[in-house]
Amino acid sequence: HGAVSFLLVFRLGRAAVRYWDARAAVGRVVEVCRCVASQARASGYCSADANDGVVHCDSVLRWTAAFPITVKNFLRKTSGNREQCRAEFGRLVSEAEFDAVIGAPCQPIHVLNQLRGAVHQLALMRSSESDARLNAMFFRALNEKIDLLTGAWGAMERIDATPLPFVYVAHLRTFLMLYLVVVALPSIAGWGALAMPGHLATSWALLGIEAAAMECERPFRRRANHLKLGVMCVRVAEAVGQTIPDLPTPYPNAASTADHSP
């Protein structure tokens, strides 16, 4: 009894920790994408050249909203047919950009590279001698946020790629089945059919724990008990969509304000 209990509790405990870590990583992606969109929107509309700032801010927002979609496709290893995948991106990317994304060996890396480039261009639009320190702070802050996105995706990748060793799982399942058979034999021999309901209930409980651990161990598949990665994409898209009209229009005297800043 003790050995079976230890093996099952350890397996279920490790699977639950992996599931929670995966959920935390998904939440981190949503959180950081919201920060990137808000910071880029405010900084782009306060740049010295407001029109160019808006253009490069739009690039940052588009690639920010596209990142969760590529993470979902990467983790599930299925992006569907071309039409379905194109519909997911919608108007976030042009046809040429879409071809580059789906043709990349790793979609999230390609989007992260495009996002960093858009942030760099946005920082250049803000450059002026009077606010060089502010520009450096802005550029560093957004790059740190992109680093957090990379780390959150990396955490999900590690969880998906490193389940418990197969030898442990195979040993547990074999030992569990033998245990259920050995325990059932004496009771069936002594009580006959009357022992079957209790034995079936015990088997259902122990095998259910094993099945629950197996479901929690790989939380990124498309099943009822797995994480809803599509919801992650929708949440980020909604945050980006709300960020665009929430802030005021470009400041008319952004350049002069920068010149007279202390």
Side-chain angles (χ1 to χ4, degrees):
H1 296 286
V4 172
S5 299
F6 174 79
L7 291 172
L8 284 175
V9 168
F10 177 79
R11 173 151 166 72
L12 183 60
R14 294 305 304 167
V17 170
R18 290 166 58 86
Y19 188 92
W20 178 254
D21 289 343
R23 178 64 186 86
V26 170
R28 177 60 62 89
V29 169
V30 176
E31 170 193 347
V32 176
C33 283
R34 288 171 177 169
C35 293
V36 171
S38 180
Q39 289 180 354
R41 178 65 164 78
S43 300
Y45 275 63
C46 296
S47 60
D49 191 335
N51 292 327
D52 286 340
V54 170
V55 171
H56 293 293
C57 173
D58 176 73
S59 296
V60 174
L61 296 179
R62 290 190 299 106
W63 290 117
T64 299
F67 177 71
I69 302 175
T70 60
V71 170
K72 175 179 68 67
N73 293 340
F74 176 85
L75 293 173
R76 291 181 173 169
K77 298 178 177 60
T78 55
S79 57
N81 55 44
R82 182 182 176 87
E83 291 73 18
Q84 180 181 353
C85 188
R86 185 69 182 93
E88 283 188 315
F89 284 94
R91 296 167 61 186
L92 292 175
V93 295
S94 64
E95 286 297 330
E97 291 170 336
F98 174 73
D99 291 337
V101 170
I102 63 172
C106 182
Q107 293 183 15
I109 290 180
H110 177 80
V111 172
L112 286 172
N113 292 338
Q114 298 300 316
L115 182 57
R116 289 188 188 275
V119 167
H120 184 259
Q121 292 296 325
L122 181 58
L124 291 179
M125 291 299 100
R126 292 175 46 89
S127 61
S128 65
E129 295 181 359
S130 60
D131 60 352
R133 183 177 300 178
L134 182 62
N135 294 334
M137 292 173 59
F138 156 76
F139 184 63
R140 178 178 179 180
L142 276 183
N143 269 283
E144 288 177 348
K145 293 295 187 300
I146 298 176
D147 291 339
L148 291 177
L149 286 178
T150 307
W153 164 51
M156 290 188 279
E157 181 184 15
R158 289 191 297 272
I159 292 171
D160 188 59
T162 55
L164 284 177
F166 176 76
V167 62
Y168 181 92
V169 178
H171 174 73
L172 172 59
R173 291 174 180 171
T174 303
F175 188 76
L176 180 59
M177 295 302 298
L178 291 175
Y179 170 80
L180 292 174
V181 171
V182 171
V183 169
L185 291 177
S187 59
I188 293 176
W191 295 90
L194 294 177
M196 291 302 297
H199 179 63
L200 291 176
T202 303
S203 301
W204 177 83
L206 295 179
L207 294 175
I209 294 176
E210 163 62 18
M214 184 174 61
E215 282 287 294
C216 294
E217 195 173 32
R218 306 292 288 271
F220 300 115
R221 299 295 182 263
R222 193 189 297 269
R223 295 180 182 174
N225 296 313
H226 290 167
L227 296 174
K228 296 177 174 57
L229 299 182
V231 175
M232 172 185 68
C233 303
V234 172
R235 292 289 181 269
V236 172
E238 290 176 346
V240 171
Q242 182 178 344
T243 300
I244 295 174
D246 267 0
L247 294 179
T249 55
Y251 299 125
N253 297 322
S256 60
T257 302
D259 293 337
H260 293 86
S261 59

